[in-house]
């Protein structure tokens, strides 16, 4: 998390456009979830960059930064890990191994780091409700069909494809990259007011206790 904050700060300070690829050294996991023993550390790093102890605001800052970010997903990515991928500008996944999910519903909370906003814009209302309410895992093929990611590729082709794409983007004029990202963000990025409403709902859900009651219609 500290390295991510430093990268964003450096990009903002020198007004540079960098193409950055995020990949995992663990073939089974990209980002499985938030490491609960380090939440305090994450929140402190978020506050250092975003002015508020919110991982969601940190991810928003990543989306709005001058970095062009690509997530190369090989392995499981769930919860806040999935929200991190959605904060990246593009995402590509290995067909054989990548697994996506928002499991928060199983714990009685909701995705709190802009997952709802991003997925609703990408997948539509019905598919987002399916994914979040069911807390089900999605393989890369279904994630691609639903619009969760840019595309799924064979694991053997994933690294080469992403590297080639990153180099191609990096070769283009810097000023144009900055303008394109700024305009796309202005049109397609979730508004801060939407995120604030989600945080309020998250706080409310975390205080609520009870049981779900299912009625069968006949």
């Amino acid at each position: 998390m500290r390295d991510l904050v430093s990268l964003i700060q450096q990009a903002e300070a020198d007004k540079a456009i960098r193409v950055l690829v995020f990949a995992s050294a663990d073939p089974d996991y990209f980002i499985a979830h938030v490491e609960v023993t380090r939440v305090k550390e994450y929140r402190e790093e978020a506050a250092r960059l975003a002015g508020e102890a919110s991982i969601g605001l940190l991810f928003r800052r990543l989306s709005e930064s001058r970095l062009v970010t690509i997530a190369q997903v090989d392995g499981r990515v769930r919860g806040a890990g999935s929200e991190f991928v959605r904060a990246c500008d593009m995402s590509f996944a290995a067909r054989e191994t990548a697994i996506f999910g928002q499991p928060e519903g199983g714990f009685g909370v909701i995705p709190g780091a802009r997952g709802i906003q991003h997925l609703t814009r990408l997948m539509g209302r019905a598919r987002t409700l399916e994914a979040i309410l069911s807390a089900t895992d999605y393989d890369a093929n279904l994630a691609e069909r639903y619009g969760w990611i840019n595309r799924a590729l064979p694991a053997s082709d994933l690294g080469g494809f992403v590297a080639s794409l990153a180099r191609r983007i990096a070769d283009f004029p810097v000023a144009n990259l900055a303008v394109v990202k700024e305009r796309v963000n202005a049109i397609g990025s979730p508004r801060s007011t939407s995120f604030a409403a989600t945080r309020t709902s998250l706080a409310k859900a975390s205080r609520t206790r009870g049981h779900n009651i299912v009625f069968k219609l006949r």
Side-chain angles (χ1 to χ4, degrees), residues 174-190:
V174 169
N176 185 63
L177 296 179
V179 170
V180 169
K181 181 162 180 181
E182 178 185 352
R183 294 314 307 150
V184 170
N185 278 343
I187 297 167
S189 183

Side-chain angles (χ1 to χ4, degrees), residues 9-213:
Q9 288 178 323
Q10 184 176 352
E12 292 175 346
D14 60 18
K15 306 297 183 183
I17 287 285
R18 294 185 177 86
V19 181
L20 186 63
V21 175
F22 293 102
S24 174
D26 188 330
D28 296 321
Y29 295 95
F30 183 79
I31 302 175
H33 51 71
V34 167
E35 175 52 66
V36 294
T37 63
R38 301 181 66 183
V39 168
K40 182 176 183 291
E41 174 192 335
Y42 297 159
R43 289 172 62 84
E44 288 172 353
E45 289 299 317
R48 184 161 68 90
L49 180 68
E52 187 174 335
S54 165
I55 296 174
L57 286 179
L58 172 60
F59 289 170
R60 179 182 178 87
R61 193 70 166 265
L62 175 65
S63 297
E64 295 175 343
S65 75
R66 294 174 66 86
L67 297 167
V68 176
T69 52
I70 304 174
Q72 179 181 312
V73 182
D74 192 352
R76 290 181 176 272
V77 55
R78 307 174 80 225
S82 174
E83 291 176 301
F84 170 78
V85 169
R86 292 279 38 87
C88 292
D89 298 320
M90 289 164 266
S91 55
F92 303 90
R95 290 192 185 279
E96 299 90 338
T97 60
I99 298 291
F100 297 81
Q102 295 289 165
E104 292 87 349
F107 302 97
V109 296
I110 63 175
R114 304 178 81 210
I116 290 176
Q117 293 92 328
H118 279 301
L119 291 181
T120 302
R121 285 170 176 265
L122 290 167
M123 306 195 317
R125 176 180 179 274
R127 284 176 170 172
T128 301
L129 286 170
E130 173 196 339
I132 294 177
L133 293 180
S134 71
T136 298
D137 285 344
Y138 288 72
D139 63 27
N141 291 318
L142 188 54
E144 179 187 53
R145 280 181 50 201
Y146 272 31
W148 202 316
I149 58 175
N150 284 65
R151 69 173 88 173
L153 300 105
S156 58
D157 297 338
L158 179 62
F161 173 85
V162 170
S164 178
L165 175 64
R167 285 193 295 267
R168 179 176 175 83
I169 295 171
D171 283 341
F172 292 148
V174 169
N176 185 63
L177 296 179
V179 170
V180 169
K181 181 162 180 181
E182 178 185 352
R183 294 314 307 150
V184 170
N185 278 343
I187 297 167
S189 183
R191 298 290 181 262
S192 57
T193 52
S194 175
F195 177 59
T198 298
R199 284 190 294 165
T200 301
S201 298
L202 177 62
K204 180 179 179 181
S206 66
R207 295 192 299 267
T208 302
R209 296 292 183 270
H211 299 280
N212 295 319
I213 302 174

